[in-house]
Amino acid sequence: GENVEQHPSTLSVQEGDSAVIKCTYSDSASNYFPWYKQELGKRPQLIIDIRSNVGEKKDQRIAVTLNKTAKHFSLHITETQPEDSAVYFCAASREETSGSRLTFGEGTQLTVNP
Amino acid sequence: GAVVSQHPSWVICKSGTSVKIECRSLDFQATTMFWYRQFPKQSLMLMATSNEGSKATYEQGVEKDKFLINHASLTLSTLTVTSAHPEDSSFYICSADGRSNTGELFFGEGSRLTVL
């Protein structure tokens, strides 16, 4: 099955700096890669996703890049703000063959210091 | 976006009792729902895939007789933790495949189970 690894497990940045979180996956057939933000005790919230037919996607301060050859994808947050502090999870799935059966990375605790 | 509602949001029970958690898709039909378990400061681990009208598919290491899943309608899936023990205390989250144009998976609010 799919195995997703995520790094770093914790990340502390100053407000205004950029934050980068990286994930690797093992199943070359995976084609859907979402990123979720989870605040303590809350449900995961989708913040951005990318499919295997594109290499990069951007939404305001958030961007995701995908390298299919190397089987890794990254989340980039620019101009970080204290409200960006949360746990971020990457995930991967074979969207077409098994619905949206996601395999999650271990998570990254992001802390943005004012 | 689509709404998935989960109930109860938290529950405390005595060891040996059973607890039922409901997951409802409020504004769309979900032929497939997923149940995840999340221990403190850990990732979401898929427990099982719930398919409407058929038996659930369990992940390796998840006891199907302990975690009973029923998906009797296109809008409701239930997870029953039978004979709960303290080690079953966790955050249980369901998600539904709404087959939206974006492909997004919609999560319930989660249910915090504490077994005394």
Side-chain angles (χ1 to χ4, degrees), chain B residues 29-44:
Chain B
Q29 294 182 335
T31 55
T32 304
M33 290 185 175
F34 304 89
W35 286 95
Y36 291 86
R37 179 168 55 184
Q38 186 177 32
F39 292 111
K41 297 188 178 182
Q42 293 190 24
S43 187
L44 289 85

Side-chain angles (χ1 to χ4, degrees), chain A residues 3 14 18 31 36 67 114:
Chain A
N3 182 49
Q14 289 299 121
S18 295
N31 53 18
Y36 289 88
N67 184 325

Side-chain angles (χ1 to χ4, degrees), chain B residues 85-100:
Chain B
H85 288 92
E87 56 266 31
D88 298 324
S89 299
S90 186
F91 193 52
Y92 292 87
I93 309 176
C94 69
S95 64
D97 180 358
R99 286 294 171 188
S100 69

